[in-house]
């Protein structure tokens, strides 16, 4: 299994987030990707390759083009206003408010975001583009005949909506990849999101579509971020009814219950018979993750990889969350090793 | 004209806000109310009286009772979690997300707020209650036969929705007062909001009602907070169609254009022939306000008060914003003096 990686993720460094009423260094930091790369390379799964440039068109297949424009222009707009970096939104478009893009940069920031978890520094846009290219290059590998690939994306993507950033996520790499598979001829794509947090962006992007099955195993939104999406009764709408599935699990969930949910989800994927599976691979389900409340241990990730491999389908792993930096590499590498050992 | 004032506003002190990507002391600070009180008392308009307790029932006439419960319990919930004060939300219920109240305090904070402008310290809830009592005592004065009264509310209210705090506002004092007038037998109430910022909370609370006319003169939401509400085409809905009016004005607006909008709004109030007028009195329209972009000067507030007085209606002034602390007292007192001099 090849790994796609770009050092350009380092451009997204030194950024902050609003956490517990304070501005703190973001938990989503560059060391995460480096720990993962080191662990994966140490296991010798296959070559690490650089992403190919794919441009912005594949991003606008799942994102509002105005939103992509905004991300590409934000830093320039901000600096033209002679304001210091980093950039963090302070205001948001609440439920019941209008969808009219404001003229001012603060207004645009609120229009195109839903929390204070997405911070821009000078290299953020370049890192976002590289991260999407990493995912799209993973798609290319599968299309060229590889049975699996690992897209070591950073920043992550699954919280990003079609028109809004939030939760460390700007461009929804997994959604971009799934759409790229569709556009390249795949009839059905399944996205299996095993990150601790509900992939609200991925869900909303495909909510009314039957050609992309989206399944999420995650912390119950009654207890956990993103709080306001990810309930079990969200099953899709319109053409997409029955093609969205959520497995909200309570704080303290260990691998027994988590593994049952995965097993159920994998049966759904098998029944759907997709041409390809995209795994939104977060390892913040780990027992010592600093912002999460599940109790998976490192060996469990071998079992997760093995269970996904039993589907016998072409599989693209797309990196999402995981904030226990010391363990993140081991847990990601274990997942991939479990997959390859099947 | 009597002033209703409570020193309990001081409980809401030392709080912070997210501004320009940083946590800063809130612009909405106790000195504001003290400067206003000093200036108004120096002019000798009438006695300053303490508010009478009115309980929570009048608040729940315009707010979701679950929201009022949340405000009353938040600090206790937070401290039970052994977390340090102050409290500031970090996550919000974005458009398209579910309206299901989470179990955890962080989730509840997001459920019941729409930005990071509402911070709780130990005395915040007491200050909120006192502020609502100040407004309700103002209602009592008018009901008892006074032709006008000044409710020196702090914290302010007009951004607060029926179920969400934001923009320094927790309980919508002007809305609570208008509803109290209705409940006491007034057939029609007009709310005239002259604060620099659109009163999004007041608008939404009465949007489908014909018995409360809501008129707002404010910074164009394309340029200014709250950004996503306050456009000219928001005219009310259902029974309320035609009973909401917005006058969005561009950055740099001076008294010529502002006064024309006031004149137009006053004609609408007169045509509506309400039993009473509630003025949401913000003076952040002032040229040196640190967070606003209009160019009204101190003598203009005399003219504003005079124009409102020409309506010849019972009038309750409810204090809203204004952040140029040195000038806030003069500008508020000028408005009231202009009203009384007519
Ligand atoms: Zn996560
Ligand atoms: Zn204001």
């Amino acid at each position: 299994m090849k790994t796609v990686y770009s050092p350009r993720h380092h451009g997204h460094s030194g950024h902050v987030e609003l956490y517990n009423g304070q501005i703190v260094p973001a938990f989503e930091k560059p060391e995460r990707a480096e720990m993962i790369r080191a662990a994966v390379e140490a296991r010798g799964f296959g070559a690490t390759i650089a992403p190919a440039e794919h441009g912005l068109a594949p991003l606008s297949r799942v994102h509002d083009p105005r939103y992509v424009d905004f991300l590409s222009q934000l830093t320039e707009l901000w600096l033209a206003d002679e304001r210091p970096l980093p950039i963090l939104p302070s205001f948001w478009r609440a439920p019941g408010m209008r969808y009219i893009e404001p003229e001012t940069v603060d207004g645009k920031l609120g229009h195109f975001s839903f929390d204070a978890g997405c911070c821009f520094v000078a290299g953020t846009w370049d890192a976002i583009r590289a991260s999407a290219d990493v995912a799209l290059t993973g798609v290319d590998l599968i299309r060229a005949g590889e049975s699996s690939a690992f897209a070591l994306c950073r920043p992550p993507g699954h919280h990003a909506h079609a028109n809004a950033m939030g939760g460390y996520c700007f461009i929804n790499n997994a959604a971009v990849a799934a759409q790229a598979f569709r556009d390249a001829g795949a009839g059905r794509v399944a996205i299996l999101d095993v990150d601790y947090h509900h992939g609200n962006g991925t869900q909303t992007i495909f909510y009314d579509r039957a050609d992309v099955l989206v399944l999420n195993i995650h912390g119950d939104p009654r207890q956990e971020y993103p709080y306001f999406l990810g309930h079990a009764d969200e099953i899709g709408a319109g053409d997409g009814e029955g093609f969205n599935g959520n497995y909200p699990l309570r704080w303290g969930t260990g691998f027994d219950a988590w593994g049952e949910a995965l097993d159920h989800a994998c049966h759904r994927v098998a029944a759907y018979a997709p041409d390809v599976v995209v795994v939104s691979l977060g390892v913040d389900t780990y027992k010592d993750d600093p912002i999460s409340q599940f109790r998976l241990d490192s060996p469990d990730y071998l079992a997760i990889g093995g269970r996904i491999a039993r589907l016998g389908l072409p599989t693209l792993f797309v990196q999402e969350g995981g904030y226990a930096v010391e363990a993140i590499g081991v847990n990601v590498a274990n997942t991939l090793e479990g997959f390859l050992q099947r």
Side-chain angles (χ1 to χ4, degrees), chain A residues 8-12 123-132 154-155:
Chain A
R8 286 160 59 196
H9 79 85
H10 283 288
H12 190 47
T124 297
W125 171 240
D126 191 61
I128 293 168
R129 287 198 62 168
S131 189
R154 180 178 176 273

Side-chain angles (χ1 to χ4, degrees), chain A residues 32 156 158-159 167-169 193-199 225 281-285 289 291-292 320-323:
Chain A
R32 299 176 56 251
H158 73 145
H159 293 305
Y168 308 142
C169 298
D193 189 324
V194 299
D195 188 278
Y196 173 74
H197 300 95
H198 178 249
Y225 183 88
L281 178 58
V283 294
D284 36 9
T285 47
D289 192 272
I291 59 173
S292 307
E320 302 285 1
Y323 307 98

Side-chain angles (χ1 to χ4, degrees), chain A residues 36-334:
Chain A
I36 294 169
R37 182 167 70 107
V40 169
E41 289 183 347
R43 304 271 179 112
F45 300 142
T48 299
I49 66 167
E53 293 228 5
H54 288 72
L56 300 182
L59 283 56
S60 292
R61 291 286 295 144
V62 296
H63 290 283
D64 181 342
R66 294 284 314 144
Y67 172 64
V68 179
D69 282 352
F70 162 77
L71 294 178
S72 73
Q73 296 161 4
L74 172 57
T75 308
E76 209 173 328
L77 273 174
W78 189 265
L79 295 175
D81 229 5
E82 296 186 6
R83 294 167 69 172
L85 297 172
I87 308 169
L88 200 65
S90 303
F91 317 107
W92 295 273
R93 189 166 48 87
M97 293 191 179
R98 304 286 295 280
Y99 191 68
I100 297 172
E101 184 178 338
E103 298 164 16
T104 54
V105 66
D106 293 280
K108 287 179 194 292
L109 261 173
H111 183 71
F112 289 123
S113 68
F114 61 85
D115 65 26
C118 276
C119 177
F120 262 75
V121 295
T124 297
W125 171 240
D126 191 61
I128 293 168
R129 287 198 62 168
S131 189
D133 278 331
V134 163
L136 287 162
T137 303
V139 172
D140 295 340
L141 290 171
I142 304 278
R143 288 182 57 205
E146 303 266 350
S147 60
S148 65
F150 175 43
L152 208 178
C153 292
R154 180 178 176 273
H158 73 145
H159 293 305
H161 285 221
N163 58 15
M165 59 186 185
Y168 308 142
C169 298
F170 304 85
I171 290 293
N172 194 315
N173 305 305
V176 167
Q179 184 63 46
F181 279 123
R182 283 284 292 119
D183 290 342
R188 285 185 304 282
V189 180
I191 301 178
L192 176 62
D193 189 324
V194 299
D195 188 278
Y196 173 74
H197 300 95
H198 178 249
N200 52 298
T202 314
Q203 170 171 309
T204 55
I205 286 170
F206 296 113
Y207 203 63
D208 59 358
R209 288 172 55 173
D211 58 333
V212 180
L213 173 70
V214 177
L215 301 175
N216 257 286
I217 305 169
H218 55 273
D220 190 331
R222 286 183 169 80
Q223 297 181 302
E224 195 53 81
Y225 183 88
Y227 297 112
F228 312 107
L229 218 55
H231 297 276
D233 62 349
E234 295 158 14
I235 61 167
D239 289 347
E241 190 175 321
F243 298 96
N244 190 80
N246 283 326
Y247 299 85
L249 300 170
R250 305 290 293 178
W251 278 354
T253 292
F255 189 64
D256 282 359
W258 198 95
E260 272 179 41
L262 177 65
D263 209 48
H264 194 277
C266 284
H267 279 110
R268 285 193 67 177
V269 172
Y272 184 69
D275 298 285
V276 61
V277 178
V278 175
V279 178
S280 268
L281 178 58
V283 294
D284 36 9
T285 47
Y286 180 60
K287 63 183 173 61
D288 293 332
D289 192 272
I291 59 173
S292 307
Q293 307 289 341
F294 282 174
R295 293 185 180 154
L296 272 60
D297 207 348
S298 293
D300 297 330
Y301 294 95
L302 289 160
I304 294 171
R307 181 64 190 88
I308 295 169
R310 277 170 49 206
L311 290 167
L313 292 164
T315 302
L316 175 63
F317 291 91
V318 174
Q319 185 64 44
E320 302 285 1
Y323 307 98
V325 174
E326 295 304 315
I328 190 174
V330 170
N331 294 341
V332 169
N334 277 2

